[in-house]
Amino acid sequence: WAPGHSRPQLWEQREVWTCIAPGVEEPGLRSPTLLASEAEQSPGSSMASPIADASAAAGTGPGRPAPTISVHKDRFDGRVCKCSGFSDSRSADVADFGARIAELLAEFRASSPPARGVWVEVPSDFLMGAMHLRRQGFRIHHADDSAVTLTAWLPDETKDPNLLPDFAHTYCGVGALVVRGPGGHGRASDDPAAAEVLVVRERWAADAEKRFKFPGGAVDRGERLCDAVVREAREETGIVASFVRVVAMEHFTSVRGGNSDLYVACLCEPADPLQEPEADPLEIAEARWMPVAAVLADPRVYPMNKELLRAALADLSAAALPGGAAAGMVCEPRSIRPDPARRAFTYDHYVPSRVARASGREAVESTSWRWGVFAIGAAVGVAAMVASGLALRSLPSNAGAVSHSR
């Protein structure tokens, strides 16, 4: 802030704009007070000189890597370009970037086979580069705090349609159906109709009246569904629960910004059925256990939540039957390595619990059958060896000699 002024002072020198603040030391920059004193001591001097010094200091040098564009070919005959070292604070970077991109595009088109899709990632502090690509026909694909990614389809789209995938367009949320026995005594599956379910009312409700719903929220980037629902229940109500299985899903389209939303309802069990909820004051106005019958009858409960609860009750009832299997989907973590040259990756396999149980039984039965056959074969073999030995012992010596010679 310049002394005596109520707003930041912008010092202009060609394409470089710098906001100078007291107490901030940067190479080549001097405070407005120092600039003013220098101007008084040197009549006829211009304030452009210190700014020119700042512009020169902003160039490449110690601690500032040279601008680079790395390129690699993907499996679809596309090119992925990652830019680094460019900055809006250096006007030369823009011209250098434009020349390099033009050379690369000409090279991509002349390659055999010709490149198709082109991905260019530019750092977020080089938005001039993104603007240049936009003028060249590139489209913004996605952006975050670190970079902006743009794409271009080089073939004629009337003959070869653009196959580059759109950016992620679906949110994913979870709802925790945490159930316990009446008053926290017994298991919910003992009598599902008499069970209690955890419900909350949000502080920032979408409706004029705060309605009851199940605790839940968005799945974080890189987070597992089964972990997200446990986290949301704990954050909003303080209840420590464990994931049991998925009981239902809801799919909404055109929710926020034209994106879709996938809501996954998960049946959960409290670690301590007697634990009482404590509402998170930042998000939740009220949290409590509510009898199942009250939830289904209360007009303040969202209709969708009632449908999800009915699905959970049907799941619990099926699981409680003798030899029965729940209809919900259980989580089976998997790890695969498609190619020995590539690293293994893990994922969660959700499958109906009756299928999982049948698969497990088939595996056990199959293994037992194989071990049974092996045991029978081994017993027969041992018996044959013993019988053969006894027969040899009973033979005359000359017959034994003949037998051994054979």
Side-chain angles (χ1 to χ4, degrees):
W1 295 83
H5 294 274
S6 59
R7 55 190 296 181
Q9 302 300 298
L10 298 177
W11 303 83
E12 181 181 3
Q13 169 66 18
R14 297 178 183 174
E15 297 180 10
V16 179
W17 292 75
T18 306
C19 180
I20 304 176
V24 178
E25 297 296 334
E26 294 188 34
L29 297 184
R30 281 165 278 182
S31 68
T33 305
L34 180 58
L35 294 177
S37 63
E38 288 180 346
E40 293 175 358
Q41 295 173 5
S42 304
S45 63
S46 170
M47 286 196 179
S49 177
I51 305 303
D53 293 343
S55 179
T60 58
R64 289 186 178 271
T68 60
I69 302 179
S70 61
V71 180
H72 77 267
K73 182 179 178 181
D74 63 23
R75 60 192 179 99
F76 303 103
D77 287 331
R79 302 295 187 274
V80 180
C81 309
K82 187 170 183 178
C83 310
S84 61
F86 293 92
S87 175
D88 285 333
S89 64
R90 298 187 294 272
S91 57
D93 281 8
V94 180
D96 180 34
F97 178 78
R100 294 196 196 186
I101 288 295
E103 292 177 2
L104 287 174
L105 291 177
E107 177 185 325
F108 297 160
R109 289 188 172 95
S111 62
S112 180
R116 305 173 77 207
V118 178
W119 302 74
V120 181
E121 179 185 296
V122 298
S124 57
D125 58 353
F126 187 49
L127 297 182
M128 294 293 291
M131 293 172 61
H132 175 82
L133 291 174
R134 288 284 293 153
R135 289 192 291 267
Q136 300 300 314
F138 279 73
R139 302 171 184 172
I140 295 178
H141 189 265
H142 65 276
D144 55 27
D145 290 339
S146 62
V148 179
T149 299
L150 301 94
T151 63
W153 185 254
L154 300 186
D156 182 355
E157 291 194 26
T158 60
K159 301 177 181 179
D160 189 355
N162 188 341
L163 299 180
L164 295 179
D166 194 6
F167 189 51
H169 53 74
T170 301
Y171 293 96
C172 186
V174 290
L177 281 74
V178 186
V179 293
R180 70 175 186 179
H185 302 288
R187 299 174 61 87
S189 57
D190 297 338
D191 187 1
E196 295 179 347
V197 63
L198 184 64
V199 295
V200 299
R201 289 201 294 175
E202 294 180 315
R203 286 190 60 195
W204 316 107
D207 301 338
E209 182 181 10
K210 295 181 174 63
R211 293 173 175 263
F212 284 105
K213 60 182 287 290
F214 303 124
V219 179
D220 292 337
R221 187 184 298 273
E223 188 178 29
R224 303 170 65 201
L225 283 174
C226 52
D227 293 336
V229 70
V230 170
R231 173 184 55 78
E232 286 289 348
R234 184 181 65 255
E235 289 178 353
E236 295 186 358
T237 69
I239 295 294
V240 178
S242 60
F243 168 85
V244 178
R245 50 187 169 266
V246 174
V247 294
M249 291 186 184
E250 305 287 347
H251 186 211
F252 304 88
T253 56
S254 300
V255 177
R256 288 176 286 183
N259 294 313
S260 299
D261 184 65
L262 186 65
Y263 181 82
V264 183
C266 305
L267 182 66
C268 300
E269 287 183 342
D272 179 7
L274 297 177
Q275 181 185 2
E276 293 299 322
E278 296 182 8
D280 175 18
L282 296 178
E283 295 186 73
I284 306 302
E286 181 184 0
R288 60 170 162 150
W289 294 105
M290 184 181 289
V292 164
V295 173
L296 296 177
D298 197 324
R300 296 171 299 173
V301 178
Y302 286 105
M304 186 190 79
N305 282 253
K306 294 182 180 181
E307 292 297 325
L308 296 175
L309 179 57
R310 291 189 182 99
L313 293 176
D315 183 275
L316 285 171
S317 298
L321 293 175
M329 293 187 293
V330 296
C331 176
E332 297 181 347
R334 302 287 176 85
S335 179
I336 62 173
R337 184 189 295 273
D339 187 329
R342 297 167 57 189
R343 66 177 179 86
F345 63 92
T346 60
Y347 67 98
D348 288 333
H349 178 65
Y350 286 89
V351 62
S353 56
R354 62 167 63 94
V355 175
R357 180 179 297 185
S359 299
R361 184 168 58 248
E362 288 171 2
V364 172
E365 291 173 352
S366 175
T367 303
S368 302
W369 180 81
R370 288 187 175 89
W371 276 108
V373 172
F374 175 79
I376 294 172
V380 171
V382 170
M385 291 174 63
V386 171
S388 176
L390 292 175
L392 287 176
R393 285 187 180 181
S394 63
L395 289 174
S397 59
N398 58 346
V402 173
S403 176
H404 281 296
S405 66
R406 291 178 181 177

